[in-house]
Amino acid sequence: MLDTLIADIAARMATAPDRGQVARYIPELAKVSPAHFGIAVVTADGREHVAGDADLSFSIQSVSKVFALVEALQAHGERVWQRVGREPSGSAFNSIIQLELEQGRPRNPFINAGAIAVTDLIAEGNEPREGIGAILRLVRSLAGDDTINVDGAVAYSEAATGFRNAALANYMRSFGMIAGPVETTLQVYFHQCAIAMSCRQLARAGRFLMHAGRCPTSGKPIVSPERARRIAALMLTCGHYDASGEFAFEVGLPAKSGVGGGILAIAPGRASIAVWSPGLSPQGNSLLGTKALEELSRAMGWNVFNPPPAC
Ligand code: DON
């Protein structure tokens, strides 16, 4: 049933006329064709269901903020929350407006400012390549795939044009919210955003979140069950920026989007889902990826607000 469902979704998304706009502010991303659509679903029994361009690599961009948060929590524990809050911003992903009003402490770890502050903790005292290495090692081990890598052209392209992120980082530095050299922190951030993965690899990397923080193959905790719940809570409330409420309303699953057009969504206890379609909504989230998740969650009854079957 699931295979037929996602094959049907992928077929319709492949020919949908309204596909959104591919991100243009990172020149390398502007080259990607909006024609792609891929979906991969790993269910709790470990089975993989894929359709469309599920094995093509794309730039995970802000989806990497989930992995950076896990890395920072593993390395620095609760100290992370001195740097970032846990409130939805209601503003665009790259907004600077709240930083001045709130003494340079970003609202949450998924807006750009918050992600840069989290990455600064990972970068602290390290060379850029060590910080990037730590995030890449985590992603590879979560996906069980050592071939995953950074797309150097995308990282370079963003570094060459990332004036807004440089402004956010420097502004936070002026409040002491960023400790390290701004250049180092930004290098790590641009490279983590430029990690390239397919839907299949991304859905595999998200498995621990459907399994209450445990690695599905070794059974070892990646994060505690409490942290897994909290990361999921942040994905639900902040994962789609100023469209997070709408996403919770329509899909009802914790999820994180990226301007490469990818979305990682978690149905706790049931599935880890990755979708990819490069065209974006005005808020910078994959237009058809969101539509596909709406259809999938409705058809499967995967929604965190559904009562358990016994009720
Ligand atoms: O910092 C940026 O602007 C990008 N590297 C990431 C932004 C992003 O993916 C927003 N997500 N939808």
Side-chain angles (χ1 to χ4, degrees):
M1 169 202 179
L2 184 52
D3 285 307
T4 320
L5 176 65
I6 62 169
D8 175 57
I9 291 174
R12 277 182 297 105
M13 296 304 161
T15 55
D18 183 8
R19 311 190 70 81
Q21 292 286 322
V22 171
R24 306 230 164 266
Y25 73 100
I26 301 174
E28 203 59 26
L29 293 186
K31 297 180 185 168
V32 181
S33 162
H36 294 294
F37 178 85
I39 181 165
V41 182
V42 184
T43 42
D45 57 10
R47 290 205 193 144
E48 296 183 354
H49 309 262
V50 299
D53 298 324
D55 287 305
L56 279 189
S57 280
F58 59 90
S59 190
I60 67 167
Q61 292 297 319
S62 287
V63 184
S64 70
K65 294 168 179 174
V66 175
F67 305 121
L69 177 61
V70 169
E71 175 63 30
L73 284 168
Q74 285 179 341
H76 298 279
E78 298 301 299
R79 231 184 105 205
V80 169
W81 307 120
Q82 291 168 13
R83 298 284 186 98
V84 288
R86 280 106 52 159
E87 291 298 337
S89 70
S91 301
F93 64 88
N94 56 2
S95 173
I96 200 165
I97 265 174
Q98 283 161 344
L99 279 182
E100 180 168 21
L101 300 172
E102 299 177 6
Q103 288 71 50
R105 182 171 176 262
R107 280 276 177 108
N108 68 67
F110 295 151
I111 50 174
N112 283 9
I116 292 167
V118 167
T119 297
D120 180 63
L121 274 174
I122 299 168
E124 209 172 81
N126 289 318
E127 291 298 316
R129 82 186 124 74
E130 293 167 322
I132 296 154
I135 299 168
L136 199 52
R137 269 194 303 281
L138 173 72
V139 171
R140 286 175 173 169
S141 82
L142 292 175
D145 189 336
D146 281 345
T147 67
I148 295 168
N149 230 320
V150 171
D151 182 329
V154 173
Y156 179 84
S157 178
E158 186 168 1
T161 55
F163 306 112
R164 180 78 72 110
N165 284 324
L168 291 170
N170 279 293
Y171 201 54
M172 287 189 286
R173 182 82 171 82
S174 77
F175 284 99
M177 265 319 145
I178 280 200
V182 165
E183 266 314 303
T184 303
T185 301
L186 286 174
Q187 278 305 320
V188 178
Y189 174 75
F190 293 144
H191 281 77
Q192 84 183 40
C193 289
I195 292 174
M197 293 169 83
S198 66
C199 288
R200 190 194 294 270
Q201 291 168 324
L202 190 56
R204 285 182 185 164
R207 290 172 299 185
F208 75 106
L209 286 172
M210 84 163 130
H211 291 303
R214 277 185 191 281
C215 168
T217 48
S218 70
K220 288 192 188 137
I222 310 288
V223 292
S224 67
E226 181 181 56
R227 278 206 178 134
R229 275 195 301 272
R230 288 176 159 183
I231 293 166
L234 287 166
M235 290 168 76
L236 184 76
T237 53
C238 313
H240 279 70
Y241 316 106
D242 44 342
S244 298
E246 189 64 22
F247 190 88
F249 188 86
E250 294 294 352
V251 181
L253 294 177
K256 183 73 209 80
S257 67
V259 286
I263 304 175
L264 172 65
I266 306 298
R270 297 181 191 280
S272 170
I273 308 153
V275 290
W276 171 51
S277 181
L280 307 176
S281 69
Q283 291 90 359
N285 306 307
S286 174
L287 193 73
L288 295 181
T290 305
K291 281 214 171 93
L293 287 169
E294 277 175 36
E295 293 188 15
L296 178 69
S297 66
R298 208 162 287 152
M300 297 302 291
W302 289 344
N303 184 312
V304 292
F305 302 107
N306 277 344
C311 285

